[in-house]
Amino acid sequence: MNYSIQIDEITKSFNGKKVLESINISIEKGEIFGLLGPSGAGKTTLIKILTGQLAAEHGTAVINGINSQQLKGIDYRNFGIMMDNFGVYERLSCFDNLKIFARIYKIKDEKIYKALADVSLESATKTAAGNLSKGMKSRLRLARVFMIEPAILFLDEPTSGLDPATAEDIGQMILSEKAKGKTIFLTTHNMAEAEKLCDHIALLNDGKIIEYGTPKEICRRYNHQKRLLIHLFDGTDKVILHEPDAADLLCKLMKDNMIETIHSSEPNLESVFMELTGKELSV
C-alpha cells in the first residue's frame, strides 16, 4: 500500500485526561479520509499532532515518510492546513490576505488570482475580509490552502456552521482536489458530508476509534433489521424482511408494476454512532 499518512498508537492527554488513546490509522495516497465525531472528541487535537503543532505523549505519526514531530525545517508546501484558529486578516482584502502567504512560500501573484477563482471569490479580490460572510471566509481559508498546491490537505471542520448550499460548494471543491491526486484528511461531525465525500472514515468517541471502514461498509455492518421498505403506487407501504419467503411477494409486486419506490433499511452513520455511544454526532 502507498500510504500518505500512518498513525501508530498515538496517545495524548491534557491535565491528566486522555484526549486521544492508542489511535491507529493508515491513509492511502489520493483518498479522502474522514475523522467523524462530536465536538470535543479529539479530532482537532489529532490534526495538530499530525501537523507538528502538538507533541504526542506516545506513538508516532508519519506523513509522506516524515515523522510529524520532525516537521520543523522541511518544505511545508507539501502540507495545507485549514483550521478555524487560522484566522484571516479582517482589514486586508482577500488578495492581500493571500499575498502575505504567497510571499512566505515564494508564490507568484498569478496563483493568488487562480486560488481565488478556484473558490469563487474572484469578484471579492479587493473586498476586505472583515466584510465577508462566514461562508466566504471559509472559501478564503480554502484558497490559502489551494494556493500552495500541497500533496496533503488537512481540513478541520471546513463546513461547520455554513448553510447547505455553501457546504455543498465546498464539498465539490474538496472532490476537485481529490481528482488532482491530493490526499485529504477531513474532520467533521456532519455525517451526511462524510458519507458523500469520504473513501474511508473512522468514528472517534472519547478519544478512541470505535469503528473504521467505508461509510457503506459501516452502515451495512449495523443493519440488524435487514428489511425492504416498499411504497406502492396506491399509496400504501409494505415492509418485507430479507427472508426466502419474501421473494415470491416481491416478485409479484414487481410483475404487477405496483412498486413506486423500494429502499433497503441500512442505518446511516448518525444512527450507527448513536447505537455505539448513545450520543448524536451533531453535538
Side-chain angles (χ1 to χ4, degrees), residues 98-114:
L98 297 191
K99 190 172 182 177
I100 292 173
F101 293 90
R103 293 297 173 265
I104 294 171
Y105 289 102
K106 299 179 180 179
I107 291 171
K108 295 181 179 179
D109 287 356
E110 290 78 12
K111 284 194 175 183
I112 300 177
Y113 289 112
K114 182 181 183 302

Side-chain angles (χ1 to χ4, degrees), residues 189-201:
H189 62 256
N190 185 324
M191 68 286 187
E193 179 176 80
E195 286 183 293
K196 188 179 299 183
L197 298 179
C198 298
D199 298 291
H200 292 89
I201 64 168

Side-chain angles (χ1 to χ4, degrees), residues 126-195:
K126 297 181 180 180
T127 302
N131 294 329
L132 301 178
S133 67
K134 184 173 183 179
M136 293 175 78
K137 286 180 181 177
S138 292
R139 290 171 186 262
L140 183 58
R141 291 189 184 96
L142 275 178
R144 192 165 63 197
V145 174
F146 295 166
M147 180 178 66
I148 64 175
E149 299 181 342
I152 302 176
L153 286 69
F154 293 95
L155 307 179
D156 189 23
E157 302 276 4
T159 62
S160 178
L162 302 183
D163 64 87
T166 302
E168 175 69 21
D169 288 344
I170 288 177
Q172 290 304 313
M173 295 173 197
I174 292 170
L175 289 172
S176 294
E177 290 301 299
K178 178 193 173 181
K180 298 174 186 176
K182 308 295 180 64
T183 302
I184 299 164
F185 188 108
L186 173 72
T187 72
T188 181
H189 62 256
N190 185 324
M191 68 286 187
E193 179 176 80
E195 286 183 293

Side-chain angles (χ1 to χ4, degrees), residues 125-275:
T125 300
K126 297 181 180 180
T127 302
N131 294 329
L132 301 178
S133 67
K134 184 173 183 179
M136 293 175 78
K137 286 180 181 177
S138 292
R139 290 171 186 262
L140 183 58
R141 291 189 184 96
L142 275 178
R144 192 165 63 197
V145 174
F146 295 166
M147 180 178 66
I148 64 175
E149 299 181 342
I152 302 176
L153 286 69
F154 293 95
L155 307 179
D156 189 23
E157 302 276 4
T159 62
S160 178
L162 302 183
D163 64 87
T166 302
E168 175 69 21
D169 288 344
I170 288 177
Q172 290 304 313
M173 295 173 197
I174 292 170
L175 289 172
S176 294
E177 290 301 299
K178 178 193 173 181
K180 298 174 186 176
K182 308 295 180 64
T183 302
I184 299 164
F185 188 108
L186 173 72
T187 72
T188 181
H189 62 256
N190 185 324
M191 68 286 187
E193 179 176 80
E195 286 183 293
K196 188 179 299 183
L197 298 179
C198 298
D199 298 291
H200 292 89
I201 64 168
L203 300 182
L204 184 69
N205 182 56
D206 293 335
K208 297 179 181 179
I209 301 294
I210 57 173
E211 261 297 355
Y212 171 85
T214 70
K216 289 184 178 179
E217 282 174 350
I218 292 174
C219 290
R220 285 196 297 266
R221 208 172 289 157
Y222 292 86
N223 184 18
H224 308 305
Q225 296 178 327
K226 294 185 179 180
R227 300 178 300 170
L228 292 177
L229 312 176
I230 299 173
H231 181 74
L232 304 181
F233 282 110
D234 65 8
T236 59
D237 294 306
K238 288 187 175 294
V239 177
I240 299 179
L241 300 178
H242 285 209
E243 296 176 350
D245 293 345
D248 292 339
L249 174 58
L250 182 60
C251 184
K252 183 178 187 307
L253 291 173
M254 295 183 72
K255 283 183 177 180
D256 294 341
N257 195 30
M258 297 175 67
I259 297 176
E260 184 173 1
T261 63
I262 181 168
H263 300 280
S264 55
S265 62
E266 291 91 347
N268 58 28
L269 291 175
E270 176 82 34
S271 56
V272 169
F273 195 86
M274 287 188 67
E275 178 179 336

